[in-house]
């Protein structure tokens, strides 16, 4: 049987890109509801994307930098 967390991780990039099918999105969200580990991973990845976007346009704000390092510590 496939590890649900591994499956959830596979869906992370397309989830954040909003390219999942409705069915897959619900599946991912359902898993995230009950899995703290994956929820953190998704949140971290999302923060990373925000950071990457901001780096392109402006210097990284100090609060975001602090947020990112605290997320990294949680993982
Ligand atoms: Zn999980």
């Amino acid at each position: 049987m496939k590890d649900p967390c591994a499956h959830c991780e596979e869906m992370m990039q397309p989830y954040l890109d909003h390219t999942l099918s409705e069915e897959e999105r619900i599946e991912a969200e359902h898993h995230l509801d009950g899995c703290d580990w994956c929820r953190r991973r998704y949140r971290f990845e999302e923060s990373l994307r925000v950071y990457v976007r901001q780096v392109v346009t402006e210097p990284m704000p100090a609060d975001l930098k602090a947020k990112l390092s605290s997320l990294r510590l949680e993982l």
Side-chain angles (χ1 to χ4, degrees):
M1 202 179 132
K2 208 172 176 184
D3 179 5
C5 289
H7 181 52
C8 194
E9 195 178 339
E10 277 168 25
M11 291 195 291
M12 184 163 69
Q13 299 299 337
Y15 179 87
L16 294 172
D17 288 331
H18 303 287
T19 56
L20 282 181
S21 71
E22 182 71 5
E23 204 174 282
E24 287 169 321
R25 190 179 60 78
I26 289 166
E27 197 189 334
E29 278 173 359
H30 184 73
H31 181 81
L32 290 174
D33 271 350
C35 185
D36 201 45
W37 162 249
C38 288
R39 203 158 53 228
R40 280 187 199 176
R41 296 212 52 165
Y42 270 55
R43 221 183 286 150
F44 180 71
E45 182 68 24
E46 214 172 9
S47 309
L48 220 56
R49 287 181 173 222
V50 171
Y51 159 67
V52 168
R53 264 198 302 271
Q54 284 185 347
V55 160
V56 177
T57 53
E58 58 185 295
M60 185 153 110
D63 63 331
L64 180 66
K65 205 184 238 173
K67 203 171 134 198
L68 278 175
S69 37
S70 72
L71 275 171
R72 212 169 269 139
L73 285 175
E74 277 177 39
L75 289 172

